[in-house]
Structures are given as C-alpha cells and as structure tokens.
Amino acid sequence: MLSFEQKLSNYAELIVRIGANVQQGQSVMLNASVDAIELTRLVVKKAYEAGAYQVKVSWHDDAVSRIKYDLAPEASLLEEPKWSAGEKLEMAEQGAASITISTADPDLLRGVPIERVNSTDRVLRKANEKYRQYAQAFKFSWSLATAPSAAWAAKVFPDVPEEEQIGKLWDAIFSMVRADQPDPIAAWEAHIRVLKEKAAYLNDKSYKELHYTGPGTDLTIALPEGHVWLGGSKSNEQGTLFVPNLPTEEVYTAPLRTGVNGTVSSTKPLSYNGNVIDRFSFTFENGRVVSVSAEQGEEALKGLIETDEGSHYLGEVALVPHHSPISDSNILFYKTLFDENASCHLAVGSAYASCVEGGAKMSQEELAAKGLNRSMAHTDFMIGSGELNIYGITADGQREAVLLNGNWAF
C-alpha cells in the first residue's frame, strides 16, 4: 500500500506528464488554490524536472473571494481584469501549458445577491473570451486537477468526523485519478486507449441523431455533419498530446446548434458560481432553451442561461457509462470535474472546435456555419443514471442502442 507522500508525488507526476505533458523549454501557467500548497510545490518541482523554462504560479483563495463579493464596491466587480487576462492570452499564444489545481466550496457564495455573482461572472468570461476560444480549439495544452479544502471535504463527507474529512477526500481523489496504483502512468495510458476505442466506434457510426430517454428526459440531439467524437488525450497545435481533465471518463462531441428538441432532467446537483443547483430541467425547441426550472438554485440557473444568446443552446454531448470508477464510488463530489465523469452530461454554451472535422483551424464564423454553438459560457450538467437509454439514429433511419440502462451497448 502506497503512503500518502507516494500518492501525492504520483498525482503531481500525472498532472505534469499525463495532464499538461510539459515539454522541454516550455513555460507553464499554474493556477492554484492556497489549500493546495503542498501539491502545487510538487507540481512546480516536477515541471522543472520535465524541462520547463519557467513556471508562473498564480494563487487563489476562496475566503478572499467571498470577502470581495461581500464588501467590494459594485464598480470594482464590474471592472474588466485586462492585465491578468492579457497575460494569460500572451502566454498561451507563446505555447505555454496551463495547469489549474482548484478546490471547491460548493456553497462559497450562498447569500450573495445572485445578480452580483452573475454580472461579475459575465465580466470575467468576456475578458477571457479569446483565451477560452484558444483552449477549446486545443491550441495549447491545459489540464485541470483538484485538491481538498476543509469546506469541500465537509460537504462531501458530512457524516465523517471533522478531523478525518480531508484525508478521506484525498483518498477519493487519489483513487479517481489512479494515483494510488503502482504504475499510474501505465494505468492512464491503458485507460486512454479504452476511451479512444469508444470514440473510434462512434466516429465510424457517424450517427445523424441521438435520442435520450429516461425519467424526466425525452430528448433528441442532432449531430452536425462531419462531427468528431473525442476522448482521453488531445493534440495541441504543436502535436503534443495532453489530457485536459484529471480524472476523465467521457467521450464527447458537439451537437448541431439548432438540432436539440425535447426535455432533459438533471440527475446530480450542479455546483455553479458558489451556489448549488439541484433537481432541474431544460426544454429545448430547435436548439434553444424555451423553459427552465429548478427546485434549488433556479435564479443561478437562469443567470447561467442568460449569460449571452449562445448560453441558450448546447455546446457539448458527453457519454459516460453508469458503471465507471467515479459513479461506482457512490460519492457525490459537488464538483463538476468529478461529477461529470460519473455521469452522461451535456454542456450549456460553447462547443469545442475540434468536435468537427478541421475545426481547430476554423474561424469562429466558420465553426458557426458548421452548426457549432458560440458563447462565453461552457457549463456541464449531469443527466446520466442507471435508467438512461441513448439510441443512435443513422443517416438511413436505423435506430441502434448506444447506452442501455446507463451502460455501453457495444
């Protein structure tokens, strides 16, 4: 059995070698929570050992963020952060890799007026719009990872003694990212091969539509001509492979912007902008959200949809089998990076450019002409369960099972 220190070292190695895949002479943008100091220092060390030219660390503190939302004047919240957004964009254009090590307090902004949260979010999204477009076209390598915080661990394990909560969340994270295995690099390489096999099967099928059925869900999603299913590692503009999410269990593509019709219901809570949204549903007509409801967090959900016109449409269709490591753990993480990889999910907002043939080299206008959605938003929400069935509709009208009772049918 590996020690905590060995698993933490493995995790840092995975972030650098599998996640961002830092190259000799490459700069690294490392965005980290103050709750992840030990892991962050290990990642910096391993990045330099991998040959990084420089590692620039930017720290984030949830407590400071909450104080700002509570006390800062409105005008300061609406001031565009041009300097930080500009630096990120410049480094991305120069080929730097981006690593984010975040924590989560799902209730961080509970009680803050929702419009104060939403308006600040729109300003940040607008400032980073070009950077986001580069990220979604995989022009540079980027990877998301996590570390526990006391607030997050208490939310996930409320029935565990307080002094044991963070340790228990660390154990869960190590397991989900395979850092607790004797050879985690080999384990990830094998896992990536499986995801790519599933994506290859779906690409060969080239379904015209997907039909979702389940409790509260009857949804048809048309797929654009030339759509591409992706999974596991991606290739950046220089041809370097990287894995955007640690963990990842999904294969995904983009829907046809105007081709979504019916109703879909959530199966897990969504932690969004420091608020929890739960038991919600969307109804679509010709791609656009025409009604939305939620038993908890409806204002926050409506704020997401109103980010811009594109946030009224879907940008991602992702398939995750119900029997997969995170789902089988029966842990509700209240963090999308984990919960989306325990469940089939959709995303409100922008599409990934590489989800259509040749998309990485297309302009935003060309992507829109192909039927991909454009938006400042991109937020995943979970719809999978052991009761979800998904059928692929071929160009000649044949109906084939893709997932039955939540699991792969092929």
Side-chain angles (χ1 to χ4, degrees):
M1 184 175 178
L2 301 181
S3 68
F4 175 85
E5 289 74 20
Q6 289 171 316
K7 288 184 281 190
L8 193 70
S9 178
N10 283 347
Y11 190 16
E13 188 82 5
L14 288 170
I15 291 169
V16 170
R17 289 184 54 189
I18 294 293
N21 193 8
V22 175
Q23 300 293 292
Q24 183 73 35
Q26 185 178 32
S27 292
V28 178
M29 299 178 276
L30 178 48
N31 308 291
S33 167
V34 295
D35 290 304
I37 289 177
E38 188 177 4
L39 176 60
T40 300
R41 288 171 177 164
L42 270 175
V43 169
V44 171
K45 179 176 182 289
K46 290 182 181 293
Y48 279 122
E49 289 173 349
Y53 175 71
Q54 66 168 327
V55 182
K56 179 176 175 55
V57 181
S58 299
W59 294 101
H60 171 78
D61 180 11
D62 278 351
V64 169
S65 295
R66 177 64 199 232
I67 292 169
K68 180 178 180 180
Y69 275 99
D70 282 338
L71 301 177
E74 190 80 16
S76 75
L77 295 176
L78 300 179
E79 189 172 282
E80 188 174 338
K82 293 181 180 179
W83 63 271
S84 57
E87 182 181 45
K88 283 172 57 179
L89 181 60
E90 181 180 355
M91 290 190 72
E93 289 175 336
Q94 293 173 354
S98 174
I99 295 171
T100 297
I101 303 173
S102 65
T103 56
D105 179 353
D107 300 312
L108 178 67
L109 301 182
R110 177 185 287 180
V112 176
I114 198 66
E115 185 48 43
R116 191 169 167 87
V117 176
N118 291 339
S119 59
T120 304
D121 182 61
R122 284 191 288 269
V123 169
L124 293 173
R125 289 182 186 275
K126 183 178 180 182
N128 289 287
E129 185 171 11
K130 191 70 175 178
Y131 177 87
R132 177 192 53 74
Q133 290 172 2
Y134 282 0
Q136 290 192 314
F138 302 135
K139 290 185 178 296
F140 63 96
S141 302
W142 54 273
S143 193
L144 308 179
T146 55
S149 66
W152 182 21
K155 184 75 172 182
V156 177
F157 299 112
D159 299 325
V160 171
E162 184 177 347
E163 65 274 12
E164 299 175 15
Q165 289 171 341
I166 286 182
K168 192 168 180 64
L169 185 52
W170 265 126
D171 286 342
I173 292 172
F174 288 147
S175 177
M176 298 306 106
V177 300
R178 300 171 171 81
D180 59 350
Q181 300 196 21
D183 189 344
I185 299 292
W188 264 95
E189 289 172 344
H191 176 54
I192 289 168
R193 285 194 294 272
V194 172
L195 293 176
K196 289 192 174 296
E197 287 170 4
K198 297 298 184 183
Y201 175 92
L202 292 166
N203 284 325
D204 287 342
K205 287 293 184 179
S206 191
Y207 290 119
K208 184 177 181 180
E209 292 180 340
L210 298 175
H211 182 209
Y212 291 63
T213 63
T217 293
D218 187 354
L219 188 74
T220 300
I221 299 177
L223 303 176
E225 186 176 349
H227 68 272
V228 176
W229 289 91
L230 301 172
S233 59
K234 314 298 182 291
S235 178
N236 69 13
E237 203 167 48
Q238 291 74 43
T240 301
L241 293 174
F242 67 100
V243 177
N245 292 345
L246 299 179
T248 183
E249 301 290 338
E250 66 180 324
V251 293
Y252 63 95
T253 191
L256 180 66
R257 183 177 189 268
T258 57
V260 182
N261 288 280
T263 298
V264 63
S265 296
S266 68
T267 53
K268 291 179 183 292
L270 170 63
S271 179
Y272 174 71
N273 274 353
N275 288 275
V276 174
I277 306 168
D278 198 8
R279 298 177 298 278
F280 58 94
S281 67
F282 295 109
T283 298
F284 296 86
E285 289 182 7
N286 299 321
R288 197 177 195 275
V289 173
V290 293
S291 70
V292 55
S293 66
E295 291 185 26
Q296 178 183 347
E298 188 169 294
E299 278 190 282
L301 187 61
K302 288 180 177 177
L304 165 61
I305 299 302
E306 294 298 332
T307 301
D308 56 20
E309 177 57 22
S311 56
H312 291 76
Y313 296 79
L314 294 182
E316 182 183 330
V317 178
L319 306 181
V320 179
H322 183 59
H323 288 307
S324 56
I326 302 174
S327 178
D328 288 344
S329 75
N330 292 315
I331 298 172
L332 178 60
F333 282 91
Y334 290 97
K335 187 168 181 64
T336 302
L337 180 60
F338 285 86
D339 292 335
E340 72 168 354
N341 284 298
S343 169
C344 288
H345 55 274
L346 304 171
V348 166
S350 58
Y352 284 90
S354 294
C355 285
V356 68
E357 292 175 2
K361 296 183 179 179
M362 293 182 184
S363 67
Q364 291 298 300
E365 292 72 24
E366 289 171 326
L367 290 169
K370 287 287 187 179
L372 270 63
N373 191 37
R374 302 163 64 191
S375 173
M376 291 189 295
H378 181 93
T379 300
D380 300 280
F381 62 96
M382 287 61 73
I383 63 167
S385 73
E387 298 175 274
L388 179 68
N389 296 314
I390 302 177
Y391 297 89
I393 313 301
T394 65
D396 61 1
Q398 296 294 312
R399 182 179 175 89
E400 301 176 350
V402 176
L403 272 81
L404 290 177
N405 299 318
N407 292 304
W408 295 117
F410 58 87

